[in-house]
Structure formats: structure tokens, C-alpha cells
């Protein structure tokens, strides 16, 4: 269950929101604790707590879980109650996929202030902090920084009864509030970015292609796992897509084209995807989108054969981070100077 989700700029003056259960790990701006939200009262009500953050300042990622009793109690009550020490953080923790940070191993200071928001664990020049006056993800805050912090809890099996009567939390509009008798282990529906992204793509495809010369209205790309020909020998079963999750040694098998506005699992970690072709006359464009709530996407690959039959050359590169939304990164690849259409 997601308890904390903050996607924010260092310079943001918006106070933290401690009255709303977050629904999205990547675009959220709120947190709550199990006690007031669902009626739990002890550390035994939680199996473990997972911490995740990444920042625009460096490539290190904090991603670990701990079953430390003190940390579990804070997740329930929202209060340390004193007695926290660095050993609550730098021992007994488990690194998860793509963890590469100094913390929590290098924790030398632990704060009793404000649950998990204000430097609950920190070390020399590194900290975890999402307090409205500070922000840090395995470093010190910087005015140019943008970060994403998440805290999750894993609950025991569904047969465990709550230790007090649950109360209905105030939730964001995308969730239906639970009644006092709802199961304490119900999990909020995670945000799916695909509908809005595909909608934007179809709305602006003609504008995007207006910047490209001689766009060809190719066939295929709606179903199957490759474009067989595309028309005029554009492909010979090409445009196959694969993705690899952090910690995996191999790519996924070729993913099926979906022509859908909703996501489906890739089979690689928690990564989901969709593909969509905009096929208005004169503006044929094809899009693949990958999404991972816990940033498990390590790389993706496009392979298969074009109709160039070995002639010409390939050029590729990075489009960089979006200037509109730093969560999105773009790449391009193209074949040029072929005597055979491609």
C-alpha cells in the first residue's frame, strides 16, 4: 500500500499534505499513516516498509525495505515517540532492484521529528527528506532539484483483523472512500498515465509530423509483434520492441502491438506498456509508451529488419529530458542513405 508520494521541485512552497491517501506513486503530493487511515495501532500490523526516491541531481536511487519494529510503528502512528537511532536504519535493511544510494547504509543521524518527512535518516552530505523547507534524496537539497519520494507498506494476510474500527480516509477524487467496515488490506488503484498520453499523441500527431519532410503512410503497426512490410518494402518484419527491468539480464520477448489507450504488463518487473498508431491520412505515426511506478525501466530495444537490405546507415540519439515534464525522456533512431526503400 502506498502511504507517501511526493513529486516536487526543491523551490516548491506548497505545504505537505498529510490528510490524503495518495493514489499515484509518480505524480502524487500527499501522505497518510495507517493509524488514522485504517485503524491500525501497532508495529505488528505491518510486515515491512519500503522506501524509494530518485532525483534530477544524480543517478543514485534509494530503494530498500526494512522490517525494523520502530520504522514499522512510525508507518502506523505517524510518530517516532523517541528512541530512534541510526542503527534502526543502517542495519537489517534489504536492497531492492536498482538501489544504488549511499543511504541507508551510511546513516549516522536519525531524527525524531515529523515521522518520515524531515531527515528520518541521514549521513555526511546525504539525506532523505521531503519536508516542505528541505528536500533530499541521497544528497543535500539544491534549488535546481526535482525529486520523487515514495513510501510503501506491506500488510499481513487478509485474515488479520484491525485492532480498532477503521475510519474512512479523505482520498483524492480518483479513489472511492472506503466504508468503516472495508477490508484494511484494500490497495488504492495505481495511476495509469496511458490514456492521457495517447490522447495527447493523437491530438498532436499531425503537428509533430508537420515538422518532418515526406512522411510515408505506412501499413501495419496495429497488431502482431512486428511490421511485416509497411508498404514499398519499408520493413521486413521490423519495429519489434523489447524492454528490460532493472536487475534482469535479458530483454522481454517481442511485445505485441496493442492499439490501446490503457496499459498492460510486459512481464518485466512492474513495467507496463501500450502502443498506438495514429493513422489519419498524411500523418501516420506510431508510439510505444513504457511505465514503471517504481522506476524499474533499465532500457528498451527496437530490433527487426528494415527493407534497406543492408544498405545505408543508422543514426540514433537522445532527445533529452522533456522541458515540460522531467519525468519523460526521449530517444530517436532512423535509417538513412539507403538505395532500397526503407
Amino acid at each position: 500500500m502506498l502511504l507517501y508520494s511526493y513529486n516536487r521541485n526543491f523551490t516548491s512552497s506548497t505545504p505537505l499534505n498529510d490528510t490524503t491517501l495518495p493514489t499515484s506513486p509518480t505524480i502524487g503530493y500527499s501522505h497518510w499513516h495507517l493509524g488514522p487511515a485504517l485503524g491500525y495501532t501497532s508495529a505488528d500490523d505491518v510486515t515491512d516498509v519500503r522506501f524509494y526516491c530518485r532525483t534530477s541531481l544524480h543517478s543514485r536511487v534509494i530503494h530498500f525495505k526494512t522490517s525494523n519494529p520502530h520504522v514499522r510503528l512510525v508507518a502506523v502512528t505517524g510518530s517516532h515517540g523517541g528512541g530512534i537511532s541510526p542503527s534502526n536504519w543502517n542495519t537489517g535493511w534489504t536492497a531492492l532492484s536498482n538501489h544504488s544510494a549511499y543511504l541507508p547504509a551510511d546513516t549516522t543521524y536519525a531524527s525524531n521529528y515529523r515521522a518520515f518527512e524531515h531527515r528520518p535518516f541521514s549521513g555526511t552530505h546525504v539525506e532523505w527528506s521531503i519536508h516542505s523547507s528541505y528536500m533530499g534524496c541521497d544528497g543535500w537539497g539544491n534549488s535546481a532539484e526535482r525529486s520523487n519520494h515514495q513510501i510503501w507498506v506491506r500488510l499481513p494476510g487478509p485474515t488479520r483483523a484491525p485492532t480498532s474500527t477503521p475510519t474512512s480516509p479523505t482520498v483524492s477524487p480518483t479513489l472511492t472512500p472506503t466504508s468503516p467496515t472495508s477490508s484494511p488490506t484494500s490497495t488504492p488503484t495505481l495511476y495509469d498515465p496511458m490514456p492521457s498520453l495517447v490522447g495527447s499523441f493523437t491530438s498532436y500527431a499531425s503537428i509533430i509530423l508537420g515538422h518532418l519532410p515526406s512522411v510515408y503512410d505506412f501499413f501495419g503497426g496495429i497488431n502482431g509483434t512486428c511490421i511485416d512490410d509497411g508498404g514499398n518494402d519499408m520493413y521486413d518484419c521490423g519495429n519489434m520492441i523489447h524492454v528490460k527491468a532493472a536487475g534482469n539480464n535479458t530483454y522481454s520477448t517481442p511485445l505485441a502491438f496493442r492499439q490501446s489507450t490503457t496499459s498492460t504488463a510486459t512481464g518485466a518487473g512492474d513495467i507496463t506498456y501500450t502502443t498506438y498508431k495514429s493513422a489519419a491520412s498524411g500523418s501516420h505515426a506510431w508510439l510505444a509508451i513504457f511505465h514503471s511506478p517504481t522506476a524499474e525501466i533499465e532500457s528498451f530495444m527496437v530490433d527487426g529488419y528494415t527493407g534497406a537490405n543492408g544498405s545505408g546507415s543508422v543514426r540514433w540519439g537522445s532527445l533529452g529530458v522533456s522541458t515540460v515534464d522531467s519525468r519523460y525522456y526521449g530517444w530517436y533512431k532512423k535509417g538513412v542513405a539507403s538505395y532500397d526503400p526503407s
Side-chain angles (χ1 to χ4, degrees):
M1 173 181 285
L2 182 64
L3 289 188
Y4 278 67
S5 177
Y6 283 94
N7 186 52
R8 64 187 297 260
N9 291 313
F10 180 86
T11 55
S12 173
S13 59
T14 304
L16 301 189
N17 176 5
D18 63 357
T19 62
T20 303
L21 193 67
T23 61
S24 167
T26 55
I27 63 170
Y29 203 92
S30 67
H31 70 276
W32 206 325
H33 301 100
L34 286 174
L38 295 173
Y40 294 132
T41 59
S42 77
D44 292 336
D45 294 331
V46 174
T47 300
D48 51 46
V49 186
R50 178 161 64 98
F51 294 80
Y52 173 89
C53 76
R54 66 186 308 163
T55 172
S56 60
L57 291 185
H58 55 72
S59 61
R60 297 187 305 278
V61 174
I62 291 179
H63 193 195
F64 72 94
K65 67 179 181 179
T66 178
S67 57
N68 180 273
H70 188 107
V71 177
R72 287 187 285 133
L73 183 61
V74 176
V76 172
T77 66
S79 173
H80 286 280
I84 190 73
S85 70
S87 64
N88 290 115
W89 297 102
N90 59 25
T91 62
W93 59 279
T94 301
L96 300 175
S97 62
N98 69 350
H99 177 79
S100 56
Y102 298 117
L103 293 172
D106 288 0
T107 298
T108 57
Y109 175 76
S111 172
N112 289 314
Y113 181 58
R114 294 183 66 90
F116 297 135
E117 300 113 272
H118 182 75
R119 297 172 177 165
F121 54 97
S122 60
T124 304
H125 304 305
V126 288
E127 66 177 354
W128 165 289
S129 186
I130 52 179
H131 189 266
S132 56
S133 300
Y134 305 91
M135 188 171 71
C137 176
D138 209 48
W140 293 118
N142 181 287
S143 60
E145 183 175 6
R146 185 177 185 88
S147 71
N148 174 238
H149 288 72
Q150 304 168 24
I151 301 176
W152 302 71
V153 294
R154 186 159 61 99
L155 304 178
T159 58
R160 193 205 66 80
T163 53
S164 62
T165 303
T167 56
S168 299
T170 302
V171 295
S172 57
T174 56
L175 274 183
T176 301
T178 57
S179 66
T181 57
S182 296
S183 167
T185 56
S186 59
T187 303
T189 301
L190 296 182
Y191 170 73
D192 184 357
M194 304 305 184
S196 61
L197 292 176
V198 172
S200 296
F201 170 66
T202 56
S203 298
Y204 293 102
S206 60
I207 297 175
I208 296 170
L209 294 175
H211 295 279
L212 302 174
S214 305
V215 174
Y216 176 66
D217 286 351
F218 63 93
F219 304 118
I222 301 293
N223 50 42
T225 59
C226 71
I227 298 178
D228 183 45
D229 181 87
N232 289 327
D233 200 27
M234 181 178 182
Y235 286 105
D236 290 323
C237 195
N239 202 47
M240 292 189 290
I241 56 172
H242 313 254
V243 67
K244 182 164 66 173
N248 289 355
N249 295 323
T250 59
Y251 282 94
S252 66
T253 57
L255 299 171
F257 302 151
R258 302 194 63 242
Q259 197 65 8
S260 174
T261 60
T262 60
S263 60
T264 193
T266 62
D270 67 356
I271 303 171
T272 60
Y273 84 106
T274 196
T275 66
Y276 201 88
K277 180 182 179 182
S278 173
S281 178
S283 62
H284 281 212
W286 187 92
L287 177 73
I289 310 171
F290 299 95
H291 174 240
S292 169
T294 58
E296 284 195 338
I297 301 173
E298 181 174 285
S299 58
F300 73 92
M301 176 174 65
V302 181
D303 70 348
Y305 296 94
T306 68
N309 296 327
S311 66
S313 61
V314 176
R315 297 176 184 174
W316 65 89
S318 166
L319 299 174
V321 177
S322 168
T323 57
V324 177
D325 190 328
S326 62
R327 292 171 296 158
Y328 299 104
Y329 203 101
W331 292 264
Y332 71 91
K333 177 183 178 182
K334 59 182 180 180
V336 297
S338 169
Y339 68 84
D340 195 3
S342 176

